[in-house]
Structures are given as C-alpha cells and as structure tokens.
Amino acid sequence: MKKILFFLGLSGIGYGVYYYFTEQLKLALNWDFKVSNFKVGAISNQGATINLIISVLNKSSFAVDVKDYNINLFYSGVNIATASSNNSFTVQADSWFDVPTTAFISFDSSKGILGDLGTTLLLNKPIKITIKGKMNIRLANIPKEIIFNAKDIMVSQNSADDLGISKTTNKINDLLGKVGVKI
C-alpha cells in the first residue's frame, strides 16, 4: 500500500511539474504588444516619417533569449513599417522590451489609407494597427519560432491630440459643419 501511495504521489508531482512547464511555454509563445511615443518626424511631398516604439511583453516566468525578430506594422491593410534585428538579447520574466521603429509612409503607395487616416483624425478616433511578424527565441535551451498576428493594437486614443493637430481638425470640422457636411 505504501508503494502505491508513494508512486501516486510521485506521479502527481511529475504531472504538476510537466503542467507548469507546458503552461510557461504557452505563455512564452503568446506575446502582448503596445505602441507608444507615436510622433510624426517629418513631412515632405513624398511622404511622412513616423517614429514609434513597439513594446512586447514576455508573459512567462522564465527569461527568454530573443535571437532575432522581423515585425511588420499594417494600417488599414497596408504595410507602413518594418522593424527587424539580428542582435540577440534576453528578456527577463514578466517584463516588456522596446523595439524603436521608424516608418516612412509614402504618399504615392498609400493612397488607399490616406482617406481613412484623414477621417480618423477629423473624428478624433483612435488609430489602430495590426502587428505581424516572427521572432526566433530560445526558452530553456529550446529554440522556437514565434509567428504572431496581433490585430487592433491601439497607437493613439485621440490621434489628433497626440499629433498636436487637434486645433486644426476642430477648425476643419467647424468649417465642414457650417457648409452642411457631416463626417
């Protein structure tokens, strides 16, 4: 009887350890994203340069070694920026790491999104993007490739305020209201 109880106890502990590590692996492969410091760098006749920081969260209780990453940002289905790196670094457990990104949005190649962006700015709506990409990591000496597709990541709650053009958009909205145009 003692041998059976010992075996059952040992099996329970083994299952607990197995379950814990598989859950931590799932967390390590499931990243959260946020975007901050969204600023327009320069505007020319050809396009606009936008600077932002993509922050990525390691949810697991273990440090993760990031070997490389390739992250693409999409607005209204159009690729507006790519961030990539081949420099290895370690992300501590339950912590964020930042990926500074500079995007050049060409006015010629993104004509389809400019109307949508203008409407978003005039209505003081939030700007949301999609983040797609892949990241090669090493967790407990196990190499893994993470492929992610995070939709509706908030860049800005009130885009006109964050870009410093709220006075201008309010004037345009007032002018459009006076001539009977509703957005």
Side-chain angles (χ1 to χ4, degrees):
M1 184 68 168
K2 286 183 180 181
K3 288 182 181 181
I4 292 174
L5 290 176
F6 177 75
F7 178 71
L8 287 175
L10 195 58
S11 298
I13 291 171
Y15 177 74
V17 170
Y18 168 77
Y19 180 77
Y20 175 75
F21 281 105
T22 56
E23 288 301 308
Q24 290 303 313
L25 181 60
K26 286 179 190 176
L27 288 172
L29 299 178
N30 184 14
W31 299 79
D32 275 349
F33 299 90
K34 67 181 179 180
V35 176
S36 60
N37 293 354
F38 179 76
K39 295 179 182 155
V40 176
I43 298 176
S44 68
N45 290 340
Q46 290 77 32
T49 302
I50 296 174
N51 300 310
L52 52 100
I53 295 176
I54 303 169
S55 297
V56 185
L57 173 63
N58 171 16
K59 296 180 190 179
S60 76
S61 296
F62 299 106
V64 175
D65 294 324
V66 176
K67 298 300 176 192
D68 59 39
Y69 60 82
N70 187 5
I71 300 173
N72 295 298
L73 304 177
F74 293 87
Y75 178 76
S76 293
V78 176
N79 187 352
I80 60 168
T82 299
S84 61
S85 174
N86 290 322
N87 298 331
S88 297
F89 57 93
T90 300
V91 180
Q92 297 304 317
D94 296 317
S95 64
W96 293 88
F97 70 94
D98 292 337
V99 179
T101 305
T102 300
F104 180 76
I105 301 174
S106 171
F107 292 149
D108 287 337
S109 64
S110 52
K111 287 180 183 173
I113 67 169
L114 292 178
D116 184 38
L117 180 61
T119 304
T120 299
L121 292 172
L122 286 174
L123 295 175
N124 294 324
K125 287 184 172 181
I127 294 177
K128 295 182 179 179
I129 61 172
T130 298
I131 299 176
K132 295 181 181 182
K134 69 176 186 168
M135 187 176 295
N136 289 306
I137 65 166
R138 184 173 291 276
L139 176 68
N141 288 328
I142 301 171
K144 283 285 194 186
E145 180 179 72
I146 301 172
I147 297 179
F148 45 85
N149 184 7
K151 296 182 181 191
D152 294 332
I153 303 298
M154 179 108 36
V155 173
S156 169
Q157 184 66 32
N158 185 333
S159 50
D161 278 344
D162 291 345
L163 293 173
I165 59 170
S166 61
K167 287 182 182 179
T168 305
T169 58
N170 289 339
K171 286 179 183 178
I172 293 171
N173 284 333
D174 290 343
L175 177 67
L176 291 174
K178 287 179 184 176
V179 295
V181 176
K182 286 191 173 191
I183 297 178

